[in-house]
Amino acid sequence: MSYLFPTYSRWEVEPEHAEGSIIIDKHGKRYLDFTSGIGVCNLGHRPVSVQEAITSQLSRYWHVSNLFIQEEQENAARRLAESAEMDCVFFANSGAEANEAAIKLARKATGKKKIITFENSFHGRTFAAMSATGQDKIKTGYGQMLETFIYLPFNNIEAIKKELDDETAAVMLEIVQGEGGIYIGEHAFLNEVNKLCKEKGALLIIDEIQTGIGRTGKPFAFQHFQLTPDIVTSAKGLGSGLPIGAVIGKKELAHFFGPGSHGSTFGGNPLAIAAATATMETIFQTEFLEEVRKKSSYLFELICMELKKIPDIMDIRQLGMMIGIETSIELPILLKELRNHGLLALPAGMNVLRLLPPLTVTIDEIDEAIDIVQSVIKKFSQAAV
């Protein structure tokens, strides 16, 4: 009997050691980890610079509360804000908390309640974040959601033109719907949303929980599309595995989050801040991001070459190190067989195999992983070539 609530369908893998792109289980079996802790370990497992930063902070202090001035918080906030070309940061503990805070900030700053989000979106499992999510399966059994969210089809310009009006507080979107199936925002759609928000006085909130911190080859995915958001949320890859989230906003919003308006006991914890700072020092380097884009192109080209001719592959979608392989093969069976062959991957949506390799993955590891993917998919395909 487990003393844990059964909220997760756990795999048969129990990690014993992890480093870089590799996890070793308690039986000594080696796995290539193309989940990155669900988009968290962007520098791979236990990156040396991050581990050293955490160890150094451990010897100073672990927690003092946000009543104290902490220079490290200020430095981390500056680096994060500058990378997003914005001005202010609030540190939380997770992506859901960051999105919850962003929703509060948007409602307070505008004095409005209506927030537009999109079908197949995922914004978290706290109540407002769950209400913002455009997937019914996330909400089943929890009763009535908050009533001020409107869900529109993603990439539908006419729908957003019709619904975005003067009563709209904000539009909240993901550049890539990661949990929803690796659906990527179209350039024309994203720019129309950006324009309409400015015209109607609505705030543009971009959820970069999964796409941010270099995952797509830019510091943030919205930078591929020249968008000008008012609020950006970040988490996952920001702390290389330590719990941290952040709301990044324009300076015009700063006074709406004055003393007593919002808070978090553990938000901006010194250990998490140390990890985030060390993570950003590596990932936000121009040379590092250029290398991520090169490896992303290589990975996508290899996947297309190996898989596109297989009839059970319906589509392949990619932005940076976020890859979605839509397939008619039953996902639980496919994922288990990939694990049997030493590759860890994820589901997305109903029928999409999701690959989120570390940004530090090597070309040899990419070759090995895709060799496993094509071999296993061909095994299950009814008309394998």
Side-chain angles (χ1 to χ4, degrees):
M1 170 187 168
S2 173
Y3 287 92
L4 297 169
F5 274 108
T7 48
Y8 304 102
S9 298
R10 297 182 190 272
W11 297 342
E12 67 284 356
V13 179
E14 185 174 346
E16 179 68 24
H17 179 82
E19 186 172 356
S21 304
I22 306 300
I23 288 178
I24 307 295
D25 75 8
K26 68 175 185 177
H27 303 295
K29 183 172 178 177
R30 171 187 176 275
Y31 296 87
L32 261 177
D33 184 9
F34 270 43
T35 75
S36 298
I38 316 183
V40 167
C41 301
N42 285 3
L43 292 176
H45 294 282
R46 296 174 48 241
V48 172
S49 62
V50 177
Q51 186 165 321
E52 289 176 347
I54 296 167
T55 302
S56 175
Q57 184 60 49
L58 273 169
S59 67
R60 299 179 62 216
Y61 58 91
W62 303 358
H63 176 82
V64 292
S65 91
N66 286 311
L67 296 175
F68 292 82
I69 295 170
Q70 297 173 66
E71 183 181 2
E72 293 81 0
Q73 269 193 3
E74 288 286 352
N75 291 338
R78 174 185 54 79
R79 186 177 289 270
L80 189 58
E82 288 177 352
S83 71
E85 302 171 81
M86 301 180 83
D87 306 295
C88 304
V89 173
F90 172 84
F91 285 115
N93 302 288
S94 68
E97 284 187 30
N99 282 338
E100 197 88 8
I103 291 165
K104 287 177 64 174
L105 179 57
R107 288 181 57 156
K108 188 173 186 183
T110 63
K112 304 171 187 177
K113 297 179 180 180
K114 175 180 168 183
I115 296 178
I116 296 171
T117 66
F118 295 92
E119 296 169 5
N120 291 317
S121 62
F122 180 81
H123 297 293
R125 295 180 184 271
T126 53
F127 217 84
M130 178 173 63
S131 297
T133 293
Q135 298 186 57
D136 289 341
K137 66 180 182 180
I138 303 298
K139 309 171 189 180
T140 300
Y142 293 106
Q144 185 174 352
M145 295 290 107
L146 299 184
E147 297 178 347
T148 56
F149 290 94
I150 306 293
Y151 314 101
L152 300 182
F154 196 48
N155 281 328
N156 188 316
I157 291 177
E158 292 308 312
I160 194 74
K161 283 182 176 179
K162 182 177 179 180
E163 191 63 51
L164 207 170
D165 56 23
D166 293 333
E167 298 304 311
T168 304
V171 176
M172 187 174 192
L173 59 81
E174 303 157 278
I175 300 299
V176 182
Q177 294 185 327
E179 300 296 327
I182 314 295
Y183 292 106
I184 302 166
E186 295 171 358
H187 191 280
F189 170 76
L190 294 172
N191 278 270
E192 184 67 22
V193 172
N194 194 86
K195 180 174 75 73
L196 287 171
C197 282
K198 303 300 182 263
E199 290 176 357
K200 300 295 184 179
L203 300 182
L204 176 57
I205 304 172
I206 299 186
D207 177 341
E208 293 260 9
I209 306 304
Q210 191 167 148
T211 53
I213 319 299
R215 174 55 56 183
T216 67
K218 296 272 190 181
F220 294 95
F222 76 83
Q223 292 165 330
H224 290 281
F225 301 91
Q226 296 78 50
L227 305 178
T228 55
D230 301 284
I231 300 171
V232 172
T233 55
S234 178
K236 286 191 180 289
L238 180 57
S240 287
L242 268 71
I244 190 168
V247 179
I248 316 166
K250 293 291 191 182
K251 60 185 176 182
E252 293 80 10
L253 300 173
H255 69 281
F256 293 106
F257 259 12
S261 60
H262 191 59
S264 170
T265 297
F266 295 108
N269 171 270
L271 300 180
I273 288 291
T277 298
T279 299
M280 290 188 286
E281 284 175 353
T282 296
I283 290 179
F284 291 158
Q285 292 180 26
T286 300
E287 298 81 6
F288 182 89
L289 291 170
E290 286 177 354
E291 188 66 18
V292 171
R293 291 192 290 272
K294 288 177 183 176
K295 288 187 289 189
S296 299
S297 295
Y298 177 82
L299 173 58
F300 184 62
E301 290 169 6
L302 183 62
I303 290 173
C304 290
M305 182 176 68
E306 295 289 346
L307 300 185
K308 272 202 167 179
K309 293 181 181 179
I310 300 176
D312 285 291
I313 301 302
M314 297 142 66
D315 195 15
I316 300 170
R317 300 184 285 273
Q318 177 252 8
L319 185 62
M321 289 290 186
M322 296 184 73
I323 300 94
I325 302 168
E326 190 170 344
T327 177
S328 57
I329 301 169
E330 192 173 339
L331 272 183
I333 297 173
L334 177 58
L335 289 166
K336 185 171 184 179
E337 189 64 14
L338 289 172
R339 294 195 296 274
N340 289 341
H341 284 74
L343 179 66
L344 304 177
L346 295 162
M350 294 298 296
N351 59 344
V352 176
L353 173 66
R354 177 173 35 155
L355 302 178
L356 299 174
L359 309 185
T360 52
V361 67
T362 67
I363 294 298
D364 286 345
E365 289 168 341
I366 289 173
D367 289 343
E368 180 184 354
I370 301 313
D371 183 63
I372 294 171
V373 170
Q374 65 88 19
S375 175
V376 169
I377 287 178
K378 283 182 177 179
K379 174 183 176 180
F380 286 109
S381 178
Q382 295 302 308
V385 294

